[in-house]
Every structure is written in C-alpha cells, then in structure tokens.
Amino acid sequence: MRPACGLAVDSNILPPIALPANLASRAGTRIPFELVKPPRIAIFLGCGKLEEMREPVPKSADFMRQAIALALENVRSGNGGPFGALIVQSERVIAEGVNRVTTTNDPTAHAEIVAIREACRALNSFQLTDCDLYCTCEPCPMCFGAIYWARVSRVFYAGTAADAAQAGFDDAFIYGQIRKAGPERTIPMTQLLRDESLAIFAAWKQQASRKDY
C-alpha cells in the first residue's frame, strides 16, 4: 500500500558554528574552514504540514555535524564517495551510513540506503516511522524513493542537489529520464506480457497471510 503523504520542505541558514575539537581534526589534518561552514538544513515532513525551522534545535545540528564528519572521513580514507547519513530514533543514533558504491561494487550503496538498511536491521522492521534521517546532501532519486518506502518521519539534509552537481554528481539527467516514456529513455524500457503479469497481483491480493507494506 503506497503512503498517502504530502511533501513539505523548509530551509534555514544556521548561525556561525565550529566543529568540536575531536571532529575538527582527523589524523592531524585540520579541516579547511570552507568545509565546516554552517550547512543549510532543510526538513521534509512525511505526513504532516509544513513546519518552519527558524532555528533548528541544537540536537539536530549536532546530528548533522556527525553525518558531515562521517562523510569527510569516508573521503579521506578513500573508502567511497563524499556522502554520509545517520538514522536517529528518540534522539539516539541507531544507524550510520557512508557511500560504499566503489568499495562494494554496489551502485545502490548510497549513504542513505546503507543507513536505512542498517536501521531496519537494528529495529527488525521494514518501516522507520518514528525515525529521522540526517544526510549530508539532498537525496538522489533512488534514495528519495527509499525514504518514502521506509516511512521515515523526517529528513534533514545539508548540501543541495546543485552542490552535488558541481562535484560531479548530477541527478538532473535521471529526473529527466523519469519524465520520458519508456522507449524514449537512454536505457530503453519495453513493456511485455502485461496481461500475464496481472496474475501475480491477483495472487497477491488473494493471499490472506500477506504482509502489506
């Protein structure tokens, strides 16, 4: 069953901040100032109305700094792309994720996906309805879909899609492909045997023991 939820976004510029000493330096190398400028933090409300965040609560900023530190460490270690994410439940971090695409040869191993998988494993649930996701960049189309399927309560992100594009991660192409008809896409998508495939959904609807998601 698909969620009947609206999407709302708000953003705010935080006042000047400084990273804690234990995060401001890694392996003796100080983080350049431009990397610790206050991120723009925005909020998605999964099933609620737009909620203004003139000044995000301190805890939210702390969690975002943790995600930023994870991403920076991932880059410096050479273990993956420049992205990090946290799943928080009741103001406690229950899962972390960094981009592992190149180290695991898994194109779906984005930081948000890794964190969602870990959180679901930790909670033994496929829904994260009472959890918040903190990610260092605006989610890509794949992660955006995963967020809604996981029923995350809220999403906080720092960098924007435009920031990611400047670093070589441009999602505009994918969004453009979604708007095109299947045969017109760069990777052609052709429909076959629809009538026969409907038997699958019929069997699902008749399955008394099914677990809806």
Side-chain angles (χ1 to χ4, degrees):
M1 182 173 60
R2 292 180 181 275
C5 301
L7 171 65
V9 183
D10 193 19
S11 61
N12 184 48
I13 302 297
L14 294 178
I17 59 173
L19 283 175
N22 65 320
L23 298 181
S25 178
R26 292 281 181 177
T29 303
R30 186 163 184 78
I31 298 174
F33 174 75
E34 63 268 21
L35 294 180
V36 296
K37 286 181 181 178
R40 186 179 76 168
I41 293 184
I43 179 173
F44 290 102
L45 296 182
C47 300
K49 63 181 180 180
L50 179 65
E51 192 174 281
E52 292 190 359
M53 290 190 65
R54 298 296 180 186
E55 293 184 9
V57 294
K59 269 289 185 183
S60 295
D62 289 342
F63 289 136
M64 185 61 76
R65 292 187 186 108
Q66 288 183 47
I68 291 171
L70 281 173
L72 281 169
E73 186 173 355
N74 199 49
V75 171
R76 289 177 175 149
S77 66
N79 288 330
F83 304 97
L86 301 175
I87 299 288
V88 175
Q89 183 187 56
S90 302
E91 297 192 351
R92 183 175 65 90
V93 176
I94 62 170
E96 298 178 347
V98 291
N99 184 282
R100 297 177 180 170
V101 171
T102 56
T103 53
T104 61
N105 293 319
D106 180 358
T108 70
H110 288 198
E112 297 94 326
I113 301 293
V114 172
I116 287 172
R117 288 171 177 166
E118 291 299 321
C120 289
R121 190 175 295 113
L123 298 177
N124 193 31
S125 173
F126 53 82
Q127 293 191 351
L128 303 175
T129 51
D130 58 349
C131 297
D132 293 337
L133 169 65
Y134 290 80
C135 46
T136 57
C137 190
E138 192 171 0
C140 75
M142 176 181 68
C143 295
F144 188 91
I147 287 165
Y148 271 83
W149 280 113
R151 310 295 200 277
V152 172
S153 293
R154 300 181 299 179
V155 175
F156 298 83
Y157 66 90
T160 66
D163 297 329
Q166 291 180 2
F169 301 92
D170 192 354
D171 297 325
F173 171 76
I174 299 176
Y175 282 114
Q177 291 289 296
I178 292 172
R179 290 191 291 269
K180 293 184 178 183
E184 297 175 359
R185 292 169 181 158
T186 301
I187 300 175
M189 298 185 182
T190 304
Q191 186 180 35
L192 293 172
L193 302 180
R194 175 179 178 269
D195 290 342
E196 293 182 30
S197 73
L198 293 178
I200 305 169
F201 292 119
W204 169 256
K205 288 188 289 186
Q206 294 170 8
Q207 178 63 264
S209 61
R210 75 173 186 264
K211 194 168 187 179
D212 291 328
Y213 62 95

